Amino acid sequence: MIVQACKNPVMNSVSVETAPQVVLDLTMLGQQVTAPAEHVECFPAPAGLTLARATTDELMSYCPVALQPDISTLVIEYEPDQFVIESKSLKMYLWKFKDREVFAEALAVEIADEVMNTCRPRSVRVHLTQRPRGGITIEAIAERKR
């Protein structure tokens, strides 16, 4: 998984004192995690961060009709407000889809909703590209804005 960030010195910093406690309680970082996570965890965004991007080519799920495995590339790009996604929790969150029967389009929407509802960015864009099966590549894009 690759996490990239772009900086802009105009953005204000977030004080740890003003961040919700649930966000600051990073339960997975530095711990051995043996099961998928139901949600991503977030922490205060550093001052100047204007764009964050997480990419993986190992997202696994199953077709709900054919029950064949689907492997996808996923790009999550978001404009942080006060919080950013903690990468280990994202990895553990994505792990929950490995045995799940879900269409690529619904998966992109679910992931975008999770990021928007948990970390509350200004905007999020999820681009999921399912590897070809039967000669067809599926691309699904879900965007959310506040």
Side-chain angles (χ1 to χ4, degrees):
M1 183 176 302
I2 301 167
V3 178
Q4 301 173 335
C6 303
K7 294 185 177 181
N8 179 339
V10 177
M11 192 173 181
N12 292 329
S13 174
V14 174
S15 157
V16 171
E17 291 79 28
T18 62
Q21 184 59 39
V22 69
V23 174
L24 296 178
D25 189 16
L26 298 176
T27 63
M28 292 177 248
L29 192 59
Q31 304 297 318
Q32 181 178 357
V33 180
T34 59
E38 285 302 310
H39 300 284
V40 297
E41 296 179 344
C42 304
F43 62 93
L49 184 68
T50 59
L51 180 70
R53 182 180 304 121
T55 304
T56 182
D57 61 357
E58 299 176 351
L59 180 61
M60 175 106 172
S61 61
Y62 280 87
C63 172
V65 177
L67 300 179
Q68 294 182 345
D70 288 323
I71 301 171
S72 302
T73 296
L74 176 71
V75 178
I76 301 171
E77 187 171 276
Y78 62 101
E79 181 185 350
D81 186 8
Q82 295 184 358
F83 306 103
V84 293
I85 300 169
E86 191 283 309
S87 60
K88 182 174 182 178
S89 74
L90 176 60
K91 178 177 150 182
M92 297 297 105
Y93 170 74
L94 296 176
W95 184 18
K96 82 177 196 172
F97 298 108
K98 73 178 179 67
D99 294 322
R100 178 112 159 261
E101 298 169 14
V102 61
F103 288 114
E105 299 83 354
L107 185 53
V109 169
E110 184 173 343
I111 294 168
D113 287 344
E114 172 66 18
V115 172
M116 182 56 78
N117 294 332
T118 306
C119 292
R120 301 183 303 271
R122 290 181 180 95
S123 65
V124 62
R125 182 176 196 266
V126 171
H127 186 163
L128 188 145
T129 305
Q130 197 175 77
R131 290 190 188 158
R133 193 159 32 90
I136 299 173
T137 298
I138 302 293
E139 291 193 41
I141 298 172
E143 297 180 319
R144 299 286 181 267
K145 294 181 183 189
R146 277 197 288 143

